Amino acid sequence: MLNAVLTDTLEIAYEEVGEPGADPVVLLHGFPDDAKAWTAVSQGLSAAGFRTIAPYLRGFGATRFRRSETPRSGQQGALAQDLKDFIAGLNLHRPILVGYDWGARAACTSAALWPAQVGGLISIGGYNIEDITADRKPATAADEHRAWYQWYFHTDRGRSGMKQNRREICRLLWELWCPRWKFSDAEYDETARSFDNPDFVEIVIHSYRHRYGAALGDPALESIERKLVGQPVIETPTIVLHGEGDGVHPPERSEGQEKLFSGYYERWLIPQAGHLFPREAPDAVIAAVQKLARFLQQ
């Protein structure tokens, strides 16, 4: 069911499944995707007795800014603040946060900054707080090649291309990032409508330019960004999931990250699954939520 909650900045649209009094699980999608990525996960978790809430991130779907003057920022501090406000707006008590890509960034930053508000964390793809200093240094040739779209978005041609060809570009990313998953035209088209959000292009362009120093951040978020410098340790109990078929973030990226988590921690590698993980491996997400919930109840 599609609902909405007002924060100071946004009207955040969200999909909700399950009984209102059940233990809450917040499901956070990535780019380029939307809350419908979690359909199978939500159905499985609600059948297991959980309440799932899947928001549409800023710039996606029916989520809208409340004021025209608010900067259309895609920086990690914006995702963190949005999630904090979303949890408060729905009065959720220490939910389990589950996210991939941008959603994992929102979940990890929130768990690091406001651990008292978070019960548990399932981060798909590993620790996902940007080390902006390191991000601005050259990477390996293979990594730079995988990030072609980010460099394209740094150009005026890329901005214009995203406006004109957003559905074609985003579909290509799905194909490249999930090489073993054969999705239907109908499945893609259902989600691609979320990319018609009037702020989608501006937020996407800003996200990738900001992390590499090519765009200024929202001054209102500077205090949050300062707290994320140096990649703070996450104390929230965590399970990391990583698909062995991830075409943009290879599984070795999440190896050896135990030092970035100070509490309960597990890492699961899932065969075949690609970057749009909950669409490809919903059963793994459901199993991870159930295991983490049992640990939290001990």
Side-chain angles (χ1 to χ4, degrees), residues 82-242:
D82 290 349
L83 179 53
K84 180 178 186 288
D85 293 343
F86 182 75
I87 292 171
L90 290 179
N91 196 29
L92 301 178
H93 178 67
R94 294 180 59 79
I96 292 175
L97 305 181
V98 188
Y100 64 101
D101 196 80
W102 287 23
R105 187 159 300 121
C108 286
T109 51
S110 295
L113 294 172
W114 306 292
Q117 294 189 7
V118 180
L121 171 66
I122 296 174
S123 184
I124 298 169
Y127 183 94
N128 205 336
I129 299 175
E130 293 171 9
D131 183 346
I132 289 185
T133 300
D135 280 352
R136 293 175 182 177
K137 298 176 181 178
T140 66
D143 282 343
E144 301 283 30
H145 176 260
R146 278 187 286 263
W148 67 268
Y149 62 100
Q150 300 181 19
W151 317 132
Y152 179 57
F153 294 159
H154 274 65
T155 67
D156 290 339
R157 180 186 179 100
R159 180 193 290 273
S160 298
M162 194 57 161
K163 288 180 179 178
Q164 177 179 316
N165 303 317
R166 70 188 73 183
R167 293 197 179 200
E168 180 184 357
I169 291 169
C170 293
R171 182 176 182 122
L172 176 61
L173 295 178
W174 278 35
E175 292 168 350
L176 294 173
W177 295 355
C178 309
R180 297 183 177 91
W181 178 48
K182 303 305 178 185
F183 56 89
S184 68
D185 290 345
E187 188 170 12
Y188 177 73
D189 290 344
E190 181 184 35
T191 283
R193 287 192 289 271
S194 282
F195 311 151
D196 295 331
N197 182 298
D199 299 306
F200 176 77
V201 171
E202 188 169 354
I203 286 172
V204 170
I205 296 297
H206 182 266
S207 174
Y208 293 105
R209 291 186 181 185
H210 176 267
R211 73 178 64 177
Y212 298 112
L216 296 175
D218 181 349
L221 301 169
E222 183 57 32
S223 63
I224 290 177
E225 293 290 348
R226 285 197 298 267
K227 293 174 184 176
L228 297 173
V229 171
Q231 295 189 303
V233 170
I234 294 173
E235 63 184 56
T236 302
T238 299
I239 295 176
V240 163
L241 302 175
H242 209 140

